[in-house]
Amino acid sequence: MADTGTRTAPIFLVGCQRSGTTMVRLVLDSHSRISCGPETRFLPDLRRIVGRDWERLARFGFPREDWLRRIRDFFGGVHADYAAARGKTRWADKTPLYAMSLDFVTEVFPDAQIVHLIRDGRDVVVSHRKRFGYWSAVKCVVKWPRYIRTARAVGATLPADRYYELRYEQAVSEPEKTMRGLFEFLGEPWEDGILDYDSKQHDVAQKYTTEAERRRAAASVTAPIYGSRVGSHRRELDPFLRLLVWVFSGPTLRALGYR
């Protein structure tokens, strides 16, 4: 691994929605060297260039590697310019959806470091219901294990210094210890106050700020990182959702050690 503080490889933060990626994004963005901007979401759309549209675009005569370079220069250039405008030297992208496209992400950015945030799927289902409604929770019992399996399958093909799994439960119960481990993986120096992300300047949309404040008030806490939602499924999963989780998410929960 490169010397601490000298890495420039892009960082991709992924995970099933409602797994705490916004929290980790804000921690990353609080580092003096790292810029973690808005979600992009469109990188998989560019896959068409070297995928289903390849037969037609290959007629230009440029090899596939050249198209990948062009995608890398365009996508990476947007992030790099944004980071530079904020006085940062390294960029990160927090887009949960990219968990389903890590094979393409790592093909475009062969040096990228992947941070995969994993949360108890039962709590993820509860969070989907509270945030998006009941039908979203029903679909989540299938979506959550699919995200986990897909991201881990790609992660298994990457060297240890390029793929890192971060557990939400550990991040909120032992935030400094957990985040120190994350920054060590990234090759970045630890900075005091980095966990107090709510005192830093971010581009985060007002809706995230409002929601975070509402959730802290409901939990009767003031710290930006708190663990009161861990195990919420024990109180808030109804019998029907509990059955669906057992049928569709059970094997993945057990494989991850959730009991």
Side-chain angles (χ1 to χ4, degrees):
M1 182 174 288
D3 292 341
T4 298
T6 63
R7 297 205 71 157
T8 58
I11 303 163
F12 284 87
L13 173 60
V14 303
C16 186
Q17 291 86 352
R18 313 306 296 173
S19 293
T21 52
T22 295
M23 174 191 70
V24 178
R25 174 216 166 178
L26 293 172
V27 172
L28 289 175
D29 196 60
S30 296
H31 195 280
S32 64
R33 280 178 31 89
I34 300 174
S35 167
C36 193
E39 292 185 28
T40 51
R41 303 188 185 185
F42 65 85
L43 188 55
D45 296 326
L46 299 178
R47 191 174 199 160
R48 290 180 50 187
I49 295 172
V50 293
R52 72 187 194 194
D53 289 343
W54 175 241
E55 183 178 353
R56 175 167 52 84
L57 295 177
R59 296 170 188 164
F60 280 98
F62 304 117
R64 189 173 186 276
E65 291 72 19
D66 190 66
W67 285 100
L68 289 171
R69 178 189 60 78
R70 293 171 188 268
I71 295 171
R72 180 166 56 251
D73 290 346
F74 165 63
F75 187 87
V78 172
H79 274 299
D81 289 348
Y82 179 76
R86 304 176 68 215
K88 309 258 185 137
T89 56
R90 190 176 182 188
W91 62 264
D93 184 303
K94 172 262 185 185
T95 301
L97 183 65
Y98 292 169
M100 302 299 292
S101 305
L102 284 184
D103 55 342
F104 181 63
V105 169
T106 54
E107 185 177 22
V108 175
F109 295 98
D111 61 338
Q113 289 188 286
I114 309 300
V115 179
H116 181 196
L117 187 59
I118 296 176
R119 183 184 185 186
D120 188 326
R122 296 165 294 187
D123 288 345
V124 174
V125 170
V126 169
S127 188
H128 270 69
R129 180 177 59 78
K130 293 175 73 70
R131 185 74 174 88
F132 305 121
Y134 199 86
W135 180 236
S136 177
V138 170
K139 292 189 292 184
C140 183
V141 303
V142 174
K143 181 176 79 170
W144 176 79
R146 186 173 70 246
Y147 268 65
I148 299 293
R149 289 194 305 267
T150 304
R152 294 191 102 198
V154 175
T157 69
L158 299 174
D161 65 343
R162 291 196 49 221
Y163 176 80
Y164 189 79
E165 288 186 356
L166 183 67
R167 294 294 181 99
Y168 170 84
E169 293 78 18
Q170 294 173 344
V172 297
S173 63
E174 298 180 292
E176 181 168 338
K177 177 182 177 181
T178 305
M179 295 304 174
R180 279 184 178 273
L182 170 61
F183 283 102
E184 182 178 354
F185 162 74
L186 296 174
E188 296 292 345
W190 179 257
E191 296 178 351
D192 291 337
I194 204 168
L195 299 180
D196 298 321
Y197 59 75
D198 55 347
S199 66
K200 308 291 194 305
Q201 285 294 116
H202 307 282
D203 63 3
V204 68
Q206 181 64 34
K207 68 175 182 178
Y208 290 119
T209 305
T210 301
E211 182 186 356
E213 291 174 350
R214 179 185 59 78
R215 282 186 291 183
R216 282 202 295 264
S220 300
V221 297
T222 57
I225 299 177
Y226 55 94
S228 63
R229 297 302 297 167
V230 173
S232 58
H233 65 275
R234 296 186 179 91
R235 305 179 299 274
E236 300 179 41
L237 268 187
D238 63 55
F240 179 62
L241 284 176
R242 196 176 298 277
L243 174 62
L244 291 181
V245 166
W246 183 80
V247 172
F248 294 103
S249 302
T252 304
L253 285 166
R254 290 189 290 272
L256 291 170
Y258 289 110
R259 297 288 183 262

